[in-house]
Amino acid sequence: MTILPGATIGVLGGGQLGRMIGLAAHRLGYRVAVLADAPDAPGALVADRVVVGALDDAAAAATLGREADVVTLEVEHVDPAAAAAAAVHAPLRPGLLALRTARDRALEKAFLVAQGAPVGPHAVVETDADLLRALAHTGLPAILKTTTEGYDGRGQRSVCSEAEAVAARAELRGQRLVVEARLDLALEVSVIVARGVDGATIAMGPFENAHRDHILDVSTYPAASLDPVRSREAITWAGRLAAALDLVGLLCVEYFVTRDGRLLVNELAPRPHNSGHLTIEAFAASQFEQLVRAICGLPLALAQPRSAAVMGNLLGDLWTDGDPDWVGALAVPDVHLHLYGKRAARPGRKMGHLTALGADLAEAVARLRTARAALRDRSLSQRAAGSAAGRGAPR
Ligand SMILES: Nc1ncnc2c1ncn2[C@@H]1O[C@H](COP(=O)(O)OP(=O)(O)O)[C@@H](O)[C@H]1O
Ligand SMILES: [Mg+2]
């Protein structure tokens, strides 16, 4: 049954992804309810109704479900029991299989292996003896990752020796871990697929992703460093994995391309993804609009790119000398600012992003570079202010 505009979309999670889901939903005429940890969370600030609660609060999730016609999620750290409590009252899209699989790295790896998807050497460990066996298999250097709740590189330790690995396991409080060989990466890319209730899919990407300190720094479209064969492979696997999860909504597949040329699946996210933010300006429909369409049973939009684009994250580190110079950044042509409404700027915290478009990728990248430099340097905004409507800004 189609869930038509005017109905209420419930979102588990109140972060920036929930905020951008809410903005897209509003544009299509839906109401939005969110489960957020605070009334001023980024997603809560744009919602019609806020249920304040944690992502493992089953009673709060049930309240959200009762108020919604369909429930989706913006993070995979939702407790499956809470998601199930919401799903009693409204369809949960994506469903519990996708949530359970993506929130636990061990289950995710097992799923990928079962599907025959290409993955790097890895093992699941619970004890020091397991750990030493795992390292014999993966080799060194290796990366230890907690199975749940890691993000933006949190819950990960890179190790170069057995002794370091044992110490790192202790630091990670001896939780169940996935140990991976630390791969020699040529590049990282991602594909986001939207899959409808009827199983129809569209793919966005591949996007090329550069990380800094394990946090996404910049994403570009097109992925200029990826060859066409691997690009098709990445799209094919994303569609296949979404179907295998029987997922309705979005699936982002993060990939590694190793220096010896292998395309490997890194991880899955059954939700909008940071690497797809540039779809807001650069595609005929954004990842957020595609999500709304998918979960409501509406036709998916064409995934038609309109422009080359590059997205750069704005982390809290930028705020060390007060507010960045927004005026200067916006004086750069075809640069678009997104701020998430977070009050406290902490280092490493995603506060917003910039997307720059261009006639080609080189132009988009040059504009992003200029805009980012302007954030820390007031001279551009002074030039913009000195000329009517910013006409003195660099072209
Ligand atoms: N096995 C690995 N080999 C090399 N680099 C890795 C490996 N695992 C993670 N990384 C780097 O760390 C980043 C974050 O790791 P990821 O597993 O995607 O966790 P999350 O995005 O949840 O923090 C990756 O995008 C990649 O840059
Ligand atoms: Mg990742």
Side-chain angles (χ1 to χ4, degrees), residues 62-204:
T63 303
L64 183 84
R66 272 192 292 272
E67 303 206 0
D69 297 288
V70 59
V71 174
T72 192
L73 46 96
E74 62 119 43
V75 280
E76 57 274 26
H77 307 307
V78 176
D79 177 19
V88 170
H89 305 284
L92 176 72
R93 295 173 177 165
L96 286 172
L97 176 62
L99 172 62
R100 286 207 174 92
T101 305
R103 76 186 286 277
D104 181 318
R105 290 186 196 276
L107 293 181
E108 185 175 79
K109 284 282 196 293
F111 165 76
L112 292 170
V113 169
Q115 293 302 314
V119 291
H122 66 274
V124 178
V125 312
E126 301 198 17
T127 63
D128 279 343
D130 289 348
L131 178 58
L132 297 179
R133 264 194 301 276
L135 294 174
H137 168 60
T138 62
L140 287 160
I143 302 186
L144 278 52
K145 302 182 180 179
T146 56
T147 51
T148 58
E149 301 195 343
Y151 69 98
D152 289 345
R154 276 173 245 198
Q156 300 196 12
R157 295 287 184 283
S158 203
V159 298
C160 294
S161 68
E162 290 187 351
E164 260 180 56
V166 170
R169 197 180 86 82
E171 260 180 65
L172 295 170
R173 299 209 183 79
Q175 298 174 56
R176 215 159 99 93
L177 301 173
V178 169
V179 178
E180 297 179 10
R182 193 167 90 206
L183 302 162
D184 194 9
L185 303 182
L187 74 147
E188 296 188 57
V189 298
S190 55
V191 170
I192 302 172
V193 293
R195 186 168 183 273
V197 178
D198 60 357
T201 60
I202 59 94
M204 292 166 273

Side-chain angles (χ1 to χ4, degrees), residues 95 253 260 272 317 363-364:
V253 182
D260 57 10
D317 314 59
E363 184 175 48

